Amino acid sequence: MPVRNADLNRRKWMLALSGILTTTLTQRSGAADPESVENLYVDDQLDLACERAAEFLINNQNSSGSITDRGHEVALTSLAIMALASLGIEPSEPSKRGRALQSALDFVLDPKHQNKLGYFGEHDGSRMYGHGIVTLMLTEMLGMGATIEQNVQIHQRLEKSLRLILSSQAVRKERMLVGGWRYSPQSHDSDLSVTIWQLMALRSAKNDGMDIPSQAIDSALDYLRNSFTGRRNGDTVGEGGFSYTPGQSRPSFTMTAAGLLAMQVCGQYDAPEVTASADWLLTHQPKANERYLFYGLYYYAQGMHQVGGKYADDSSRVVSTLLLPRQRRDGSWMSPGGEERNVGMVYSTSLALLSLSVRYHYLPIYQR
């Protein structure tokens, strides 16, 4: 686990020095110059894009502490907190960014945003999507609050929100849907998109040492496997990816990327579904007009980076190519159309920042 309060500028300098030495040695041996920015780490376009995105999010913070421009204020503020934390920013920092993060956390932790059952998705209408996002954010920020009181509040809110996730999973469902979640805590069906957020929240909480039954995560993994589209033959699977709900024959980019990351977050790095999904994504690269592009790129960048090798290299190039030229002058991104455009710029900017900041390795949930 990295030191959470590491100095990003010092890290850049050290990595740059390492890259320069590597370049010098390579040139002396007569080999071609390395082209990857990972080998010569300087303030390149990606770093500058991340800095501008962080400034946009902070500049769009409201007096209440929320960071949102289109409603769903609790869920979107939580997404923005994770995006800012992915750059190594901490609420305890005596800086503009640190104070902004502290204020955003205080907003999310306001008691009115969580009902008596522990549900975060009711107040702002974000449903179980929002509940999973808020819970995941709180697990990632556990112990990182600016004050003892804030840390106590994070733990208290988490205990209730995690209980709700577990009770919602236990609602009676059809066999193929067991282990998953959908739009409300009482839903009798499941879909992969909602399930991913709850599963990552549970796994992150377990990593934090909280009391999460292994059976809950195992059951969610079974649901993931039911959503895999490749044919099975014993312990092997055929070519395929993940679909929105079990029984569908065609994988989609967004769900395949989501399933890939979720399997890895749960430690299934060598699972056949992981290999098959990574191969599928390698040959089905996302396009600019992809449905739910920002949502998909978030999972794609994180999941392929964890696979490593050619998968990480290819996804890094694709994500940079799709996002960097489309960043607006104020540091934001806006979806070109479709359902994502209606959610606003805080949503798309937060997901873009989480996609581009993969190489910084600050959020524990995305570390292999």
Side-chain angles (χ1 to χ4, degrees), residues 10 50 304:
R10 184 170 69 251
C50 289
M304 294 290 268

Side-chain angles (χ1 to χ4, degrees), residues 84-106:
L84 292 168
S86 75
L87 298 181
I89 303 169
E90 297 183 29
S92 58
E93 291 179 11
S95 65
K96 174 185 175 182
R97 292 184 173 188
R99 290 189 293 272
L101 214 55
Q102 179 181 358
S103 179
L105 258 177
D106 281 338

